[in-house]
Amino acid sequence: MDTKERFQKIRRVLIYVLILNWGVAAAKLFYGWVIRSASMKADGFHSFSDGASNLLGLLGIWIASRPIDRSHPYGHKKFETLTSIIISGLLFIVCLNVVREGVIRFLHPVVPAVSVKSFLVMGVTLAINIGVMIYESRRGKALGSDVLVADALHTRADIFTSSSVIITLIGIKLGYPILDPIATLIIAFFIGHAAVGILKESSRVLSDGVAIRTEEIEKVVLSIRGVKECHKVRSRGRPDDIHIDLHVLVDPDMDVHKAHHLSYAIENKIRRDFQGVTDVVVHMEPLEENKNKRRL
Ligand SMILES: [Zn+2]
Ligand SMILES: [Zn+2]
Ligand SMILES: [Zn+2]
């Protein structure tokens, strides 16, 4: 699968999810308007904003899919990483909201009024959300798309939030209303945890953190015939766009022709052994056996 195809697939998933989100939003807004339910309308506006977050994802993917040009010789893929950071920021807001609502419900316990019809609307939209979440996170993992994975986590957070009404009901029915705030805090913790996970990986990519363990690269490079030593091994980048550079020491009598071939062999071996490597730069040095080892 080439880059263009991958972005097309990610785009398609985002468009499906966008359509579903806005469909759900329309249903909730319309029904909330008909039955004059403020909470149903608020839920509808939330689904509408979920669609807006999908649009943001589409924008990020569109920029990230642009080919290499004069101003971006390394390509635009990191725009996807940047977008996933923004989406995880939105996830933190969702998390804070869950805590806020849990606290409010704890301080002012109210039995949510649930009619058969509103329960049906909630049930159907919840089922759609569960479907979206499973589909999106599967595609996200298969395509290695952090934007899709982040968005799926957001949908999962929304599912927990919508089903918290059910948790409240169960808590009251069982005679333990304390179950509700406890469940809410646990949910908030998991949402926050997921957001931190995205933030960690995305900031590793943007700050050029190590992408492949240096020892593993060294082992592979030293196994190639003609390589005497290697050092200054560096790796960085997105898991699907890893850049590696390293210094390699070779026989000082090796001619340029041979050295050039060797550098190709190193590049190919690294690309074959490590998934996601798109660029390898080899710096060749003569191994001076008898003189003081000067490392340049
Ligand atoms: Zn949401
Ligand atoms: Zn060359
Ligand atoms: Zn060196």
Side-chain angles (χ1 to χ4, degrees), residues 64 66-69 72-79 241:
R66 274 153 58 188
I68 286 171
D69 55 27
H72 287 82
Y74 291 98
H76 299 78
K77 283 185 181 169
K78 276 187 181 166
F79 278 102
D241 189 23

Side-chain angles (χ1 to χ4, degrees), residues 2-174:
D2 63 11
T3 313
K4 212 177 144 199
E5 203 184 332
R6 173 177 172 271
F7 281 122
Q8 270 170 358
K9 283 180 174 166
I10 298 172
R11 191 173 305 141
R12 203 175 309 146
V13 175
L14 278 172
I15 289 172
Y16 288 158
V17 174
L18 172 66
I19 292 169
L20 283 174
N21 270 331
W22 278 357
V24 165
K28 281 177 181 165
L29 285 174
F30 178 73
Y31 192 71
W33 175 69
V34 169
I35 66 164
R36 291 164 193 234
S37 159
S39 63
M40 184 74 79
K41 271 196 270 185
D43 221 28
F45 280 117
H46 183 113
S47 295
F48 184 77
S49 77
D50 290 344
S53 144
N54 298 144
L55 271 186
L56 182 79
L58 278 169
L59 180 72
I61 289 298
W62 175 65
I63 300 173
S65 69
R66 274 153 58 188
I68 286 171
D69 55 27
R70 281 170 81 94
S71 61
H72 287 82
Y74 291 98
H76 299 78
K77 283 185 181 169
K78 276 187 181 166
F79 278 102
E80 183 173 356
T81 313
L82 193 60
T83 310
S84 71
I85 284 190
I86 298 170
I87 292 177
S88 75
L90 296 176
L91 209 52
F92 276 118
I93 297 174
V94 176
C95 180
L96 288 180
N97 251 330
V98 170
V99 174
R100 197 181 62 111
E101 287 192 7
V103 170
I104 290 173
R105 271 208 308 276
F106 183 61
L107 295 176
H108 313 281
V110 267
V111 183
V114 181
S115 72
V116 179
K117 265 189 185 170
S118 65
F119 198 76
L120 212 69
V121 174
M122 260 187 43
V124 170
T125 53
L126 198 63
I128 291 175
N129 264 349
I130 291 173
V132 164
M133 188 266 289
I134 294 170
Y135 169 67
E136 206 178 11
S137 74
R138 268 198 202 148
R139 296 305 291 150
K141 277 175 195 147
L143 295 166
S145 166
D146 28 10
V147 161
L148 286 185
V149 170
D151 203 59
L153 285 172
H154 181 128
T155 313
R156 193 175 72 177
D158 289 346
I159 291 167
F160 283 138
T161 318
S162 322
S163 49
S164 68
V165 177
I166 297 165
I167 298 170
T168 311
L169 281 178
I170 294 171
I172 289 165
K173 274 262 157 62
L174 290 176

Side-chain angles (χ1 to χ4, degrees), residues 170-183:
I170 294 171
I172 289 165
K173 274 262 157 62
L174 290 176
Y176 296 107
I178 189 80
L179 270 182
D180 182 29
I182 292 174

